[in-house]
Amino acid sequence: MKAGVERLMSDKMNYMAEQGHDITLVTYEQGAHPPVFPLHPSIKHFDLDTRFFTLQKYSLPQRLWKMHQLQKLFGKRLQQVVDEQQPDIIHATTYSLGLVKQILGLRTTAKLTMESQVSYESELKETIYKGRGILETLARRYDRKVLSQLHRFDAFFTLTKGDTEKWRQHYDHITVIPNPLTRYPEEVKGHDKELRRIICAGRLVYQKGFDLFVQAFADIANQCPDWHVDLFGSGEDEAMLRKMIGERGLEQRIIMHPATDRIYDEFQDSDFFVFPSRFEGWGLVIVEAMSCGIPVVSFRCDYGPEDIITDGKDGLLVTNGDTKELGEKILWIINHPEERRAMGQAARMTARKYRKEIISQQWIDVFSSLLT
């Protein structure tokens, strides 16, 4: 459970390369570090060595000046790669929103496309500087300037219907393509035997809402004394979560583990998955859990869960941030084993449509249509 976006992009690139497409990966802060996930041997990789992350150590005036210089260098080096490779399509993500001017300014006949991998609000500088006076005002103006250029792209992609409505303020014809599953297990363990184990997984950060889950489980813990939770993840909130768990006397009921590369095995050794995120760009881990034949209890957060889960069929949806309702839904699924198993079977069928070959082919089809 690491580097989710990198893994998803690698999966898509590898599939397209396997189908005979010529793929070039351009990064700009990778340096000499190898890609996090292996790439098909035919994929070419160029790094522009424009390390924007180093700017944080400078004062604001210095940072703005050095940012300008790095942006110019980025544009120059990217143009060199484009001249050499002569691509038909140049595809970027909204992580590069701050470089839209340079991407749109390329001298090329290639189609320019962009996809959003996170929620609209999380891409805005205004969100970062909310409530900080003049900085918020400047950030809002910056966002307005950047977003006003999006209409010049030849195509724009989002992961969810909900997020599409936000981006539609800046781009009319948006295509929704969800993220693919890296792996869909051909066989899974049966869940006829009750394991009395709940699983949670994700980065231990505010966004993922594990503090809300701890509150919810604390409210019902005495009503399900034989059940426990295994929580997999790492992050800045770990100490806070351990303190919360300890203050509620739940050390033996909510067991924290480091992030694992064997999360599919852990899903299959659990009865159901709880996804308490406050907000998301998609929620791939929901589909991963479902592919293992277990249902998901999730907040109706923006965005993702409502696109994936059909409430009462393959999981349960909860009013976003409502810890009382979350506890009630967890208790309901604990106390209804037959319905839980039926939901798990339905969840696995739901996950089938997100298999890598299905989603990746959607990308190939839409890219091909841009070139006809």
Side-chain angles (χ1 to χ4, degrees):
M1 297 212 47
K2 56 186 180 182
V5 173
E6 289 89 340
R7 175 158 56 93
L8 293 163
M9 298 298 286
S10 299
D11 285 346
K12 288 188 283 190
M13 289 188 293
N14 286 338
Y15 183 86
M16 293 180 190
E18 289 165 5
Q19 303 307 305
H21 296 276
D22 184 11
I23 307 295
T24 299
L25 169 65
V26 180
T27 55
Y28 52 88
E29 296 180 311
Q30 189 81 11
H33 300 287
V36 178
F37 297 97
L39 297 176
H40 189 276
S42 70
I43 296 177
K44 297 180 284 293
H45 177 208
F46 297 90
D47 186 74
L48 306 183
D49 196 26
T50 50
R51 303 186 182 191
F52 291 91
F53 66 88
T54 63
L55 298 179
Q56 298 303 316
K57 63 184 179 182
Y58 297 105
S59 65
L60 183 58
Q62 288 179 305
R63 192 183 312 166
L64 292 173
W65 169 249
K66 290 183 179 293
M67 169 73 80
H68 176 66
Q69 295 300 108
L70 276 180
Q71 287 173 334
K72 287 176 60 177
L73 184 60
F74 169 90
K76 177 182 177 182
R77 290 179 175 174
L78 180 59
Q79 184 68 63
Q80 291 171 347
V81 175
V82 169
D83 290 343
E84 179 182 332
Q85 299 300 310
Q86 291 295 304
D88 297 308
I89 294 174
I90 298 172
H91 185 66
T93 73
T94 50
Y95 289 114
S96 300
L97 270 182
L99 297 166
V100 161
K101 179 180 177 181
Q102 286 71 32
I103 295 170
L104 289 170
L106 290 168
R107 298 182 302 278
T108 179
T109 59
K111 299 292 185 180
L112 302 179
T113 64
M114 178 171 279
E115 71 173 290
S116 170
Q117 276 284 337
V118 294
S119 65
Y120 172 81
E121 288 83 0
S122 63
E123 290 285 15
L124 302 181
K125 296 292 185 185
E126 179 184 349
T127 302
I128 299 173
Y129 295 102
K130 199 76 173 175
R132 296 177 64 180
I134 187 63
L135 290 178
E136 181 181 355
T137 300
L138 293 174
R140 189 180 300 116
R141 290 177 181 173
Y142 173 85
D143 289 334
R144 192 181 303 124
K145 181 178 180 181
V146 169
L147 295 171
S148 68
Q149 301 176 73
L150 293 184
H151 71 279
R152 295 173 56 194
F153 281 85
D154 295 290
F156 194 92
F157 304 90
T158 61
L159 297 171
T160 67
K161 297 173 184 175
D163 205 31
T164 296
E165 295 308 310
K166 298 287 187 178
W167 287 108
R168 195 166 278 146
Q169 302 171 66
H170 315 288
Y171 198 98
D172 290 334
H173 306 295
I174 296 175
T175 302
V176 180
I177 303 181
N179 276 327
L181 270 171
T182 297
R183 171 186 164 205
Y184 182 85
E186 291 305 316
E187 294 184 2
V188 297
K189 295 179 181 178
H191 289 87
D192 295 333
K193 183 180 178 181
E194 192 168 70
L195 302 169
R196 299 179 182 176
R197 184 202 200 206
I198 303 166
I199 186 169
C200 294
R203 290 178 293 117
L204 307 183
V205 296
Y206 174 81
Q207 173 194 348
K208 299 300 180 179
F210 291 118
D211 56 319
L212 302 178
F213 170 75
V214 172
Q215 293 176 41
F217 189 76
D219 290 340
I220 63 166
N222 291 337
Q223 299 176 64
C224 52
D226 296 330
W227 285 71
H228 76 279
V229 180
D230 283 303
L231 194 167
F232 293 86
S234 58
E236 60 194 44
D237 284 356
E238 181 175 349
M240 178 270 288
L241 290 169
R242 288 188 181 279
K243 181 180 178 182
M244 281 187 69
I245 292 167
E247 289 173 346
R248 290 158 178 78
L250 296 174
E251 298 96 326
Q252 303 304 313
R253 303 289 304 281
I254 303 178
I255 300 98
M256 297 182 66
H257 308 270
T260 176
D261 291 327
R262 299 178 59 83
I263 194 64
Y264 278 75
D265 295 331
E266 301 295 346
F267 285 143
Q268 293 192 49
D269 286 330
S270 306
D271 291 287
F272 63 95
F273 176 61
V274 178
F275 187 77
S277 283
R278 289 178 164 91
F279 57 91
E280 281 291 335
W282 167 239
L284 178 65
V285 70
I286 294 175
V287 187
E288 290 177 326
M290 295 170 85
S291 76
C292 295
I294 61 173
V296 179
V297 181
S298 171
F299 283 135
R300 295 177 183 268
C301 68
D302 295 339
Y303 303 95
E306 289 188 273
D307 284 51
I308 303 168
I309 299 168
T310 301
D311 189 32
K313 179 183 177 183
D314 48 25
L316 297 175
L317 292 169
V318 179
T319 303
N320 197 20
D322 190 330
T323 58
K324 184 176 184 294
E325 184 183 345
L326 179 60
E328 291 171 350
K329 292 291 180 71
I330 291 172
L331 199 58
W332 186 92
I333 205 168
I334 284 174
N335 291 330
H336 292 80
E338 291 186 14
E339 290 87 344
R340 183 176 69 242
R341 294 186 189 104
M343 284 184 182
Q345 293 171 0
R348 183 158 160 75
M349 294 303 296
T350 295
R352 286 178 60 85
K353 65 184 178 183
Y354 299 106
R355 286 175 296 170
K356 179 168 55 178
E357 59 270 24
I358 293 175
I359 301 300
S360 297
Q361 189 59 49
Q362 291 182 34
W363 280 103
I364 291 174
D365 291 344
V366 74
F367 282 153
S368 297
S369 70
L370 287 172
L371 300 176
T372 56

